[in-house]
Amino acid sequence: MTAVPGPEAAVALRPLPPRAARVTGGFWARRLEANRAAIPLGRERLAGAGSIGNLRIAAGEATGAAEGAGFRDSDVYKWLEAVAWEYARDPAEGLLAELRELGGTIAAAQRADGYLNSVVQIRGEEPYARLWNSHELYCAGHLFQAAVAAARATGEKGLLRVATRLADHLAGTFGPGLRGELDGHPVVETALVELYRETGVRRYLDLARHFVEARGHGLATKPGFDPSHYGDPGHYSDRLPVREARGPEGHAVRAVYFAAGATDVAIEAGDAGLLAALRRQYDTMRRGRQHVTGAVGARWDGEAFGEDYELPPDRAYAETCAAIGTLQWAWRLLLATGESGYADQIELLLYNAVLPAVSLTGADYFYVNTLHRRTGARGDLQRSPAHGRRPWFNCACCPPNVMRTLAALPAYLATGGDDGLQVHQYAPGTLASGGLTVDVGTGYPWDGLVTVTVRQAPPRETELALRVPEWAGGSTLDGEPVAAGGYARVRRVFQAGDVVRLRMPMPARLLAAGDRVDATRGCVAVTRGPLVYAIEQPDQPSGAVLEDLRIDPAVPPRPEHRQDLLGGVTVLRADGALARGPGDSPYRPYGQPAPAGPAADLTLIPYYAWANRGPHAMRVWIPCLQST
Amino acid sequence: MTAVPGPEAAVALRPLPPRAARVTGGFWARRLEANRAAIPLGRERLAGAGSIGNLRIAAGEATGAAEGAGFRDSDVYKWLEAVAWEYARDPAEGLLAELRELGGTIAAAQRADGYLNSVVQIRGEEPYARLWNSHELYCAGHLFQAAVAAARATGEKGLLRVATRLADHLAGTFGPGLRGELDGHPVVETALVELYRETGVRRYLDLARHFVEARGHGLATKPGFDPSHYGDPGHYSDRLPVREARGPEGHAVRAVYFAAGATDVAIEAGDAGLLAALRRQYDTMRRGRQHVTGAVGARWDGEAFGEDYELPPDRAYAETCAAIGTLQWAWRLLLATGESGYADQIELLLYNAVLPAVSLTGADYFYVNTLHRRTGARGDLQRSPAHGRRPWFNCACCPPNVMRTLAALPAYLATGGDDGLQVHQYAPGTLASGGLTVDVGTGYPWDGLVTVTVRQAPPRETELALRVPEWAGGSTLDGEPVAAGGYARVRRVFQAGDVVRLRMPMPARLLAAGDRVDATRGCVAVTRGPLVYAIEQPDQPSGAVLEDLRIDPAVPPRPEHRQDLLGGVTVLRADGALARGPGDSPYRPYGQPAPAGPAADLTLIPYYAWANRGPHAMRVWIPCLQST
């Protein structure tokens, strides 16, 4: 859910109103259409998993036992949020009918006192008794987000009334002088702030602030905590108060959702100290706990952040939801600060951490986004990426999270106000703010030319700010050099028909990891423009086992657009060679020369497009020829 | 538990009888004394955890609720096995009293029909109803092993009678035409074979064979399996029949215990096809799934083997019990084949995978044996090695497993028969077989000279075979060159006073991992003799953060014996330098030169000795100066 700060919020940038940013073609338009086509499939899968059934049973519309764990409702709410944003993007009666029908069921499922969790209700459990693992406030948070989205997209307030009744129940249950437990899984914090923004009800912000400040004292693992569960308070972002923590730790999704919520609180409360703490935390993450794709989460065990510099490509957890939470956090920090680095992060995350989680068809998903799949890898669990993407999961948090995030994508493109427009992400379409309306034309991410044509302009000086990514050295604005890592700004009285051209060179770039990152030593990752690339088995020379391919980092990879491949991608051709095979022992005396292998050219595809031809071997980090 | 094959077993080598191999001084004598000193502490900790109390309650000697999970009994049995082997090593009344007293409690706890599991009995659960996770046969297996050890060590059969009554109950419950489930956690297979060897009761071997052959058809995850548990049959070594599996997979302890049991069955049944399958499996493990220390287990998630070449030092799981199970498996393959490579493996495992799990005091243990602890690493779970070693664990499988393994260590030193002696491991002491008695003198593992002095010899030609490890190139036997990776053999009519001298050079050796091992690219591991070395923070130059130390692989590290350090160790001094610090971003353009750092010499200690001065940063794999 994108944040829309309230009128008194301490922000540098302001989101555009609904429909003020539109994607009309190009790369993202195709991805958004695939996402829209998956909406009805999501409905079917939610029904098949019993998630919608749970709500119907709680509503008295059906009978039976509850399916699955207590967080199932949240899958439905995330899907509803996707429906709402899709309605905002392109209204259709079917979408509105879904919102009304399911909204009615949810309203009917709600208890008279405002409490709502279908699984707890059906099973007759005591509300909030196992909050460390019941996900009751987590579900509430996703309901609030869906309700706000529905209200903004449709103007209808039915779901919002359910949300405020539940929020009132929470506010009457938790807080100073009331119950002190915390939900083991954050998200309610950011959702309460957004509900405050939509309704103006201050107690929702106050409750969010309470939840943010109360965390970090081990409350999430009390009381009634089952010690056979994950016993580390860090797992729940509950080891250190938010102002003291060095960076996000433990369960990655929980940590970044919480950080996004804390940032929302900092913005709305104008709390500069809290904002500074969250910026430091983000920086800690960026410096040592973020994969080159932008994804976060190093460990399967606990679905968690690792230590600094613990970034294994093969066992990267990189949960889809964690990328989405990081995106939400970066967006809030961008609004708060106006710094282009956060928009760079959003770009990185969208193309290389969120998009890889969904197939080109839009219908299948990764839960775990590995950066390295070995030849013959075996999927031992349902969520193993070795299987390839899947239609759904027993724990189905990720698929509807992708749906709602892509449906909301236009909101991330630009910010603005009466003084002009700030363009953060590039896609063909239109952007409008404060009387300034522009058309954006671009072949991004394959080509770095962005042409902005003014369609309407106010009769006063305004500013057009175009992000020049950190990677885009040598860029020019209307032929004049502009610095990478900031905004190129044009301030004048614009006229309809004015054209501004930003040209960003896109050579292939080879990245090495820093000296303290062990898992990728001797390897390079290849990027071009905003995209991280990978080698996948089907594109390599016949007979070359992917594990044995080595790249020559001295020869720049060459781009080649292939309209026939993977829906149309620019591939990179690189020089390389084959290493010898695995040999008899994994350990050999240092310096014993490996027999020279034959030359073998490598073909790299954008990482987001891998695993669309079956599950093959793939790697983002490619060993260099000269490594020992 | 070491294996003692029956008279008709298909083996190349035969274990020595109890007390025929004795350690009288040197390196291992001190470690065994520390282990013996920990025996009473183990008793206290078992009592403190309620594990002994469970048996007392089941026996009617106490009242109360059962503590912990159903595998608790096995901790007591493993500790009793340690007591038995200690009694065999050096009899003491106190040890015998322990065996009798606890043995009496166990006998009293056993049901009239032979069934025995204190937790199941106290809780009134149905026996074998949740066999996929109840560990009932696992506990039975550890009881059998303790009972056999007690019988061999003391000649008393009390515990053996309990064991055979339980084994008879199992034989009447499971097998063809009876119940078909399998215990989720193997160990009963090897234990049943050892019980057959001790008692001669064939049905125990038959039942072991049934359990070995029945595995691999998904039976361990049926019936009553809880789908929220680990759902992959591979986790339970139950995905493929033992004859078809490429190598051990899934939960590492389960896999190697099962493989050891299957090898026992192959030996006793003279099943060459089964033996060949297990040798292939061992080789698969050795080539791609074994850490340089000999430890196995790459993943925290599922405590499991990873894919081939997935060998992360920092997140190595390398569970202590998995090293012990691998040791047991290697011992059985050594007996079956007589090949020195398996004895090399036993050496590697003893020094670098089992011994590192216990403190120099003998009283604290690692559950997880990491090969890399980062500066400031935080222990998030009780078993995190970041904490350092601990006295006990909630899941306390490892501490008593170390105790019983070290107590049985003399059994691994040599094999023999009427035709002579085969010496596999070197320690000062005496070895006797078939009328040939020798004294062994050596400063091993610090010095590679082994002096074997004949004390008694039969009046006929016999053979003395001394293992020359694969690492010991340039070795000589009485001045004559002998090949590394085999046995140096002297066959003659020995006379008392004869001396044979094996001299094994021990230069420091730098190892690199094979081309397909990603996690240690650009690094070397340093070994000397049988020992793997590591850098630990306290030994490094002041102010040098361990992560930033780089070794110069072109300069051979120099040994230096330090009697004052860590109980007396030979350290290695290596040339190196400091890399630049972590920098602002974990990713940088490839080839951008890192500022040259100042020279910094490294001091390496034996890996087994790390974490005896508090939990500090440590690494086995050290980045090389020339790596990018």
Side-chain angles (χ1 to χ4, degrees):
Chain A
M1 164 125 225
T2 61
V4 179
E8 287 159 35
V11 289
L13 303 175
R14 294 215 165 255
L16 301 187
R19 283 183 260 271
R22 305 187 60 80
V23 176
T24 55
F27 182 89
W28 280 113
R30 295 179 61 197
R31 302 275 56 83
L32 300 193
E33 281 316 302
N35 186 55
R36 188 181 186 93
I39 295 278
L41 297 174
R43 178 74 153 81
E44 285 170 24
R45 293 165 189 173
L46 283 165
S51 305
I52 290 174
N54 284 347
L55 285 160
R56 291 214 186 286
I57 295 165
E61 298 171 4
T63 56
E67 287 282 344
F71 52 78
R72 280 291 180 91
D73 289 355
S74 66
D75 301 337
V76 180
Y77 300 150
K78 276 189 274 194
W79 179 81
L80 270 182
E81 188 185 334
V83 171
W85 296 133
E86 275 303 308
Y87 187 83
R89 218 168 61 75
D90 188 3
E93 274 308 308
L95 297 172
L96 195 60
E98 291 280 18
L99 283 168
R100 287 174 178 162
E101 189 220 323
L102 256 176
T105 296
I106 293 163
Q110 187 167 38
R111 280 194 343 196
D113 65 356
Y115 178 82
L116 176 56
N117 180 291
S118 72
V119 174
V120 168
Q121 290 170 235
I122 296 168
R123 294 192 179 142
E125 293 167 1
E126 190 193 335
Y128 312 129
R130 294 172 59 256
L131 206 53
W132 54 273
N133 197 38
S134 68
H135 292 74
E136 285 158 283
L137 304 198
Y138 171 83
C139 288
H142 282 298
L143 171 65
F144 300 166
Q145 294 183 336
V148 170
R152 289 189 189 149
T154 69
E156 298 189 2
K157 302 287 176 88
L159 205 56
L160 198 66
R161 276 191 293 275
V162 179
T164 54
R165 286 183 61 213
L166 175 51
D168 291 338
H169 186 261
L170 295 183
T173 307
F174 297 96
L178 302 169
R179 291 177 66 148
E181 304 103 294
L182 297 171
D183 194 293
H185 200 313
V187 93
V188 76
E189 300 81 1
T190 187
L192 278 167
V193 176
E194 205 65 3
L195 193 62
Y196 152 71
R197 288 162 174 162
E198 186 63 23
T199 63
V201 178
R202 181 88 194 177
R203 74 194 295 215
Y204 304 153
L205 175 61
D206 293 342
L207 183 59
R209 191 169 192 176
H210 160 74
F211 284 141
V212 166
E213 299 285 2
R215 219 165 183 93
H217 305 278
L219 294 170
T221 48
K222 296 172 184 160
F225 180 75
D226 172 358
S228 76
H229 206 72
Y230 221 92
D232 172 36
H235 180 77
Y236 309 88
S237 298
D238 193 28
R239 189 174 66 90
L240 291 170
V242 61
R243 294 166 196 272
E244 296 171 26
R246 252 192 82 233
E249 66 177 20
H251 190 276
V253 180
R254 298 174 197 228
V256 294
Y257 278 1
F258 178 67
T263 306
D264 274 326
V265 167
I267 288 171
E268 294 301 333
D271 188 330
L274 182 56
L275 181 66
L278 289 155
R279 295 189 64 183
R280 279 198 308 273
Q281 288 201 38
Y282 199 100
D283 209 44
T284 296
M285 178 182 75
R286 191 185 58 79
R287 288 185 191 210
R289 300 183 192 175
Q290 191 174 34
H291 298 282
V292 71
T293 57
V296 299
R299 299 179 177 176
W300 278 65
D301 190 60
E303 305 186 305
F305 282 102
E307 305 283 346
D308 283 349
Y309 315 114
E310 181 188 326
L311 293 165
D314 51 357
R315 293 294 284 173
Y317 201 71
E319 185 178 337
T320 301
C321 290
I324 290 169
T326 305
L327 179 77
Q328 294 176 354
W329 187 13
W331 172 250
R332 283 151 179 77
L333 289 174
L334 174 64
L335 296 183
T337 67
E339 292 180 12
S340 68
Y342 295 116
D344 285 359
Q345 281 274 313
I346 290 170
E347 175 176 87
L348 179 71
L349 287 155
L350 281 173
Y351 283 105
N352 307 294
V354 177
L355 192 58
V358 60
S359 63
L360 294 176
T361 64
D364 295 300
Y365 305 88
F366 277 131
Y367 187 117
V368 173
N369 294 274
T370 189
L371 277 70
H372 178 188
R373 184 192 189 279
R374 290 188 174 82
T375 300
R378 186 172 78 80
D380 54 348
L381 297 176
Q382 196 197 31
R383 65 184 185 276
S384 299
H387 294 297
R389 296 183 188 83
R390 286 177 168 270
W392 212 247
F393 301 91
N394 290 337
C395 173
C397 48
C398 297
N401 217 356
V402 169
M403 291 182 197
R404 68 172 184 149
T405 301
L406 292 182
L409 182 124
Y412 294 108
L413 298 183
T415 53
D418 287 343
D419 194 42
L421 266 170
Q422 302 88 38
V423 188
H424 306 293
Q425 310 300 335
Y426 299 114
T430 60
L431 303 169
S433 181
L436 181 64
T437 301
V438 301
D439 286 334
V440 178
T442 183
Y444 215 81
W446 314 121
D447 181 83
L449 174 64
V450 176
T451 304
V452 181
T453 305
V454 175
R455 217 162 59 183
Q456 283 189 322
R460 62 179 189 278
E461 203 171 71
T462 52
E463 186 181 86
L464 186 63
L466 304 179
R467 182 178 61 96
V468 186
E470 183 70 41
W471 53 259
S475 293
T476 58
L477 188 74
D478 291 333
E480 295 297 313
V482 288
Y487 291 88
R489 297 172 194 275
V490 182
R491 169 173 284 277
R492 65 173 182 244
V493 181
F494 286 102
Q495 309 288 337
D498 279 0
V499 174
V500 174
R501 284 189 186 82
L502 174 64
R503 203 178 287 272
M504 294 169 280
M506 285 190 175
R509 298 163 65 241
L510 271 56
L511 298 182
D515 278 344
R516 285 193 180 176
V517 181
D518 289 297
T520 52
R521 212 177 286 284
C523 296
V524 291
V526 184
T527 67
R528 179 174 180 270
L531 295 173
V532 175
Y533 277 71
I535 49 174
E536 191 180 23
Q537 190 67 62
D539 308 299
Q540 311 314 320
S542 167
V545 178
L546 198 86
E547 279 75 4
D548 296 333
L549 283 169
R550 299 291 174 270
I551 192 169
D552 184 346
V555 182
R558 300 159 303 278
E560 177 185 321
H561 198 74
R562 287 275 303 278
Q563 201 49 49
D564 59 313
L565 189 69
L566 295 164
V569 295
T570 296
V571 302
L572 298 174
R573 305 268 187 207
D575 286 8
L578 281 172
R580 59 174 192 167
D584 186 54
S585 163
Y587 309 110
R588 59 182 166 81
Y590 175 83
Q592 183 181 295
D601 291 347
L602 287 67
T603 299
L604 296 97
I605 61 166
Y607 169 63
Y608 78 78
W610 90 280
N612 277 289
R613 295 169 290 185
H616 292 287
M618 178 280 298
R619 57 189 305 163
V620 168
W621 287 98
I622 308 169
C624 294
L625 260 181
Q626 44 269 70
S627 79
T628 54
Chain B
M1 164 127 226
T2 62
V4 179
E8 287 160 34
V11 288
L13 303 175
R14 292 217 165 253
L16 301 187
R19 283 184 261 271
R22 302 185 62 79
V23 177
T24 56
F27 181 88
W28 280 113
R30 295 178 60 197
R31 302 277 54 84
L32 300 193
E33 282 316 303
N35 188 53
R36 189 182 185 92
I39 295 277
L41 297 174
R43 179 74 153 81
E44 284 170 25
R45 293 165 189 174
L46 283 165
S51 304
I52 290 175
N54 284 349
L55 285 160
R56 292 213 187 286
I57 295 166
E61 298 170 3
T63 55
E67 286 283 342
F71 54 77
R72 280 290 180 92
D73 289 356
S74 66
D75 300 337
V76 180
Y77 301 149
K78 276 189 273 193
W79 178 81
L80 270 181
E81 188 185 336
V83 171
W85 296 132
E86 275 305 307
Y87 187 81
R89 216 168 62 77
D90 188 2
E93 275 308 310
L95 296 173
L96 195 59
E98 291 280 18
L99 283 168
R100 287 173 179 161
E101 190 221 321
L102 256 177
T105 296
I106 293 164
Q110 187 168 35
R111 282 196 341 197
D113 64 355
Y115 178 82
L116 176 56
N117 181 290
S118 72
V119 174
V120 169
Q121 291 170 233
I122 297 168
R123 294 192 178 142
E125 294 168 0
E126 190 192 337
Y128 312 129
R130 294 174 58 255
L131 206 54
W132 55 270
N133 196 38
S134 68
H135 292 74
E136 286 158 284
L137 304 197
Y138 171 84
C139 288
H142 282 296
L143 172 65
F144 300 166
Q145 294 182 337
V148 169
R152 288 187 189 149
T154 68
E156 298 189 2
K157 302 289 175 84
L159 204 56
L160 198 65
R161 277 189 294 275
V162 180
T164 54
R165 287 182 60 213
L166 176 51
D168 290 339
H169 187 260
L170 295 184
T173 306
F174 297 96
L178 302 169
R179 290 177 67 148
E181 304 101 297
L182 297 171
D183 193 293
H185 199 313
V187 92
V188 75
E189 301 80 3
T190 186
L192 277 167
V193 176
E194 205 65 3
L195 193 63
Y196 152 72
R197 288 163 174 160
E198 186 62 23
T199 61
V201 178
R202 181 86 193 178
R203 73 194 295 216
Y204 304 153
L205 175 61
D206 293 343
L207 183 59
R209 192 170 193 175
H210 160 72
F211 284 141
V212 166
E213 300 284 1
R215 219 165 183 95
H217 305 279
L219 294 170
T221 46
K222 298 170 181 163
F225 181 76
D226 173 359
S228 76
H229 206 70
Y230 221 92
D232 172 35
H235 180 77
Y236 309 89
S237 297
D238 194 28
R239 189 174 66 92
L240 291 169
V242 61
R243 294 166 196 272
E244 296 171 25
R246 253 192 82 233
E249 67 178 19
H251 190 277
V253 180
R254 299 173 197 229
V256 293
Y257 277 0
F258 179 68
T263 306
D264 274 327
V265 167
I267 288 172
E268 294 300 333
D271 188 332
L274 182 56
L275 181 65
L278 288 155
R279 296 190 63 183
R280 278 197 309 272
Q281 288 201 37
Y282 199 100
D283 209 45
T284 296
M285 178 181 75
R286 192 185 58 78
R287 287 185 191 209
R289 300 184 193 175
Q290 192 174 33
H291 298 282
V292 72
T293 57
V296 298
R299 298 180 179 175
W300 279 65
D301 190 61
E303 306 186 306
F305 282 102
E307 305 283 346
D308 283 350
Y309 314 113
E310 181 188 325
L311 293 164
D314 51 355
R315 293 294 285 174
Y317 200 70
E319 184 177 338
T320 301
C321 290
I324 290 170
T326 305
L327 179 77
Q328 295 176 353
W329 187 14
W331 172 250
R332 283 151 179 77
L333 289 173
L334 174 64
L335 296 182
T337 65
E339 291 179 11
S340 68
Y342 295 116
D344 285 359
Q345 280 274 312
I346 290 170
E347 176 176 87
L348 179 71
L349 288 156
L350 281 173
Y351 283 104
N352 307 293
V354 177
L355 192 57
V358 60
S359 64
L360 294 176
T361 65
D364 294 301
Y365 306 88
F366 277 131
Y367 187 118
V368 173
N369 294 273
T370 188
L371 279 70
H372 179 187
R373 184 192 189 278
R374 290 188 173 83
T375 300
R378 187 173 77 80
D380 54 349
L381 297 177
Q382 196 197 31
R383 64 184 185 277
S384 299
H387 294 297
R389 295 182 189 84
R390 286 177 168 270
W392 211 248
F393 300 92
N394 291 337
C395 173
C397 48
C398 297
N401 217 356
V402 170
M403 292 182 196
R404 68 172 184 148
T405 302
L406 292 182
L409 181 123
Y412 293 107
L413 298 183
T415 53
D418 289 342
D419 194 42
L421 266 170
Q422 302 88 39
V423 188
H424 306 293
Q425 309 301 335
Y426 299 114
T430 61
L431 303 168
S433 179
L436 181 64
T437 302
V438 301
D439 286 335
V440 177
T442 184
Y444 215 81
W446 315 121
D447 180 83
L449 175 63
V450 177
T451 304
V452 182
T453 306
V454 175
R455 217 161 59 184
Q456 283 190 320
R460 64 178 190 278
E461 203 170 69
T462 51
E463 186 182 87
L464 185 64
L466 304 179
R467 181 178 61 96
V468 186
E470 183 71 39
W471 54 258
S475 293
T476 58
L477 189 74
D478 292 334
E480 295 298 312
V482 289
Y487 291 89
R489 298 174 192 273
V490 183
R491 168 172 285 278
R492 64 175 182 242
V493 181
F494 285 102
Q495 309 288 337
D498 279 2
V499 174
V500 174
R501 282 188 188 82
L502 174 64
R503 203 177 287 273
M504 294 170 280
M506 284 188 175
R509 299 163 65 242
L510 271 56
L511 298 181
D515 278 344
R516 285 193 181 175
V517 181
D518 290 298
T520 53
R521 211 177 287 283
C523 296
V524 290
V526 184
T527 67
R528 180 175 180 269
L531 295 173
V532 174
Y533 277 71
I535 48 174
E536 192 180 22
Q537 189 68 60
D539 307 301
Q540 312 314 322
S542 166
V545 177
L546 198 86
E547 278 75 5
D548 296 333
L549 282 169
R550 298 291 175 269
I551 192 169
D552 183 346
V555 182
R558 297 154 313 272
E560 177 185 321
H561 198 71
R562 287 276 304 277
Q563 200 50 49
D564 60 311
L565 189 69
L566 295 165
V569 294
T570 296
V571 301
L572 298 174
R573 304 268 187 209
D575 286 8
L578 281 171
R580 59 172 193 169
D584 186 55
S585 163
Y587 309 110
R588 59 183 166 82
Y590 174 83
Q592 182 180 294
D601 290 348
L602 286 67
T603 299
L604 296 98
I605 61 166
Y607 169 63
Y608 77 79
W610 90 280
N612 277 288
R613 296 169 289 185
H616 292 287
M618 179 280 299
R619 56 189 307 162
V620 168
W621 287 98
I622 308 169
C624 295
L625 261 180
Q626 44 270 71
S627 79
T628 53

